[in-house]
Amino acid sequence: MITSFEQLIQSAKKQSTMKLAVAAAQDEEVLLAVDEAYRLGIAEPVLVGDGAAIRDIADRIKMDVTKFEIIDVPDVREAAREAVSLVSGGRAQFVMKGILGTADLLKAVLDKEIGLRGINLLSHVMVYKVPAYHKLIFLTDGGMNIAPSLEEKKQIIENAIEVCTALGLEQPKVAVLTAVEKANDKMPATMDAVKLKEMSETGEFGNAVVDGPLSFDLAFSKEAAKHKGVESPVAGDTDVLLVPAIEVGNGIGKCMTYFANAESAGVVMGAKAPIVLVSRADTHQAKLYSIALGSVVAGKI
Ligand code: COD
């Protein structure tokens, strides 16, 4: 079972090197990350984007990009479509967001002609390692689905479980995040939590255990659960945190990064191939972790 990003990198290094289509690669941190991924044998990048800008940046940071295939597509939306087409056409195994908006890449991924959509809902999973917690945290969905329905939440959980399984977790524990631990029909997220827990009890999530409603303190602190008299197999030992809406997930994720010294990686699941979805503000180290995550998941799909 992978419990750190160092182990994730080692795991990615052990499997065969996969081709990574990078959409809008004209960015220093993106180039540093893909160069490192290449050096470690984690991915072989194809750089799609503004060829002149890619070469200028590479010259400035003294990086040899002649070893990489560069496909010159200066417009970022067109670059996203080209990168996605490389994967849907079988020339690359996974795709990565470079220096463009998340929605622009996701629109290309969802495109009916060239996209990577299968029958499943696509959703975003962030993986965090924070010093204050004893294992990796899988946060979903703070990046793609804006206000998921109950059925969509079910699929978002399934996608997160798939990432956990790829990283070797045998029984992922899923907390359905709410503001309170009791069902309250004025708070729809708590009603969904009850239904998701019932689904878990009837075996709909396989080995995974889904519990809720659980507030953040209960999800991550056994003491808080004890104090509030809540008995839960998930409380204090959460792997996956399912959030009710994109703003919640995005906010928690940013708190992890800015206030909790988190290391992180992110991927979109549910498509025919993983989509490495990094934040433009991420360092090349965080981007490298995301590439490793995408590579390990791609190797298991
Ligand atoms: N999974 C599968 N299919 C989907 C999904 C999904 N998550 N979302 C939309 N679709 C399908 C629809 O069924 C439809 O067939 C087609 O895609 C278009 O649907 P729309 O019109 O709702 O899609 P868009 O293009 O307007 O929006 C899709 C986005 C993913 C771009 C949108 O949901 C979005 O902007 N999400 C937030 C992305 C973001 O900005 N994240 C940044 C936070 S860090």
Side-chain angles (χ1 to χ4, degrees):
M1 184 174 91
I2 293 169
T3 57
S4 70
F5 284 108
E6 187 45 46
Q7 289 172 10
L8 182 69
I9 297 272
Q10 294 309 323
S11 175
K13 278 165 77 173
K14 275 189 211 136
Q15 57 183 42
S16 56
T17 308
M18 268 169 288
K19 273 215 169 167
L20 171 63
V22 186
Q26 57 274 19
D27 175 71
E28 181 175 327
E29 296 293 322
V30 169
L31 291 177
L32 286 168
V34 295
D35 192 53
E36 179 77 352
Y38 176 77
R39 202 181 55 76
L40 293 171
I42 291 174
E44 191 187 334
V46 180
L47 306 177
V48 184
D50 184 332
I54 292 171
R55 289 186 188 90
D56 277 355
I57 296 167
D59 278 353
R60 183 164 47 76
I61 60 176
K62 300 192 175 17
M63 178 188 292
D64 173 19
V65 279
T66 56
K67 57 187 182 276
F68 300 140
E69 183 182 354
I70 299 177
I71 302 178
D72 186 30
V73 187
D75 179 81
V76 291
R77 289 189 184 151
E78 282 305 314
R81 291 177 63 81
E82 177 65 27
V84 166
S85 298
L86 289 177
V87 180
S88 53
R91 283 195 55 213
Q93 278 80 51
F94 63 131
V95 65
M96 175 182 175
K97 177 187 153 192
I99 193 78
L100 80 167
T102 299
D104 286 333
L105 178 61
L106 292 179
K107 279 174 196 276
V109 167
L110 290 171
D111 187 277
K112 286 200 170 67
E113 307 258 300
I114 52 114
L116 296 170
R117 201 186 153 181
I119 52 165
N120 298 327
L121 185 81
L122 274 63
S123 58
H124 187 228
V125 183
M126 279 300 291
V127 185
Y128 292 96
K129 179 75 184 136
V130 292
Y133 195 57
H134 58 283
K135 54 184 175 175
L136 295 173
I137 299 167
F138 300 77
L139 176 71
T140 191
D141 177 342
M144 184 163 189
N145 291 280
I146 296 168
S149 64
L150 175 64
E151 178 52 36
E152 287 169 341
K153 286 178 182 173
K154 177 175 181 267
Q155 291 185 47
I156 290 170
I157 291 176
E158 286 167 351
N159 285 344
I161 291 172
E162 203 176 336
V163 179
C164 293
T165 306
L167 270 58
L169 270 78
E170 283 169 10
Q171 191 183 46
K173 295 180 178 177
V174 183
V176 182
L177 182 72
T178 52
V180 290
E181 64 277 10
K182 289 198 175 65
N184 176 342
D185 59 12
K186 290 195 176 129
M187 297 191 208
T190 64
M191 307 309 283
D192 282 357
V194 170
K195 292 188 187 123
L196 291 164
K197 180 182 178 167
E198 284 167 6
M199 290 179 201
S200 175
E201 285 166 350
T202 57
E204 288 200 44
F205 295 108
N207 271 350
V209 184
V210 179
D211 198 12
L214 286 172
S215 52
F216 191 94
D217 51 337
L218 297 183
F220 294 106
S221 162
K222 278 200 169 55
E223 290 71 36
K226 201 171 158 199
H227 192 67
K228 289 187 176 172
V230 172
E231 292 212 3
S232 157
V234 174
D237 200 32
T238 295
D239 297 295
V240 177
L241 186 68
L242 174 83
V243 298
I246 193 168
E247 293 81 3
V248 182
N250 191 263
I252 291 176
K254 296 267 156 63
C255 282
M256 300 248 192
T257 303
Y258 286 92
F259 292 151
N261 280 326
E263 295 179 306
S264 64
V267 70
V268 169
M269 296 295 293
K272 290 177 186 151
I275 298 130
V276 176
L277 201 60
V278 292
S279 165
R280 277 170 283 186
D282 280 349
T283 61
H284 66 270
Q285 186 70 19
K287 288 181 165 82
L288 175 67
Y289 291 154
S290 292
I291 295 170
L293 178 64
S295 162
V296 167
V297 171
K300 302 280 189 313
I301 282 181

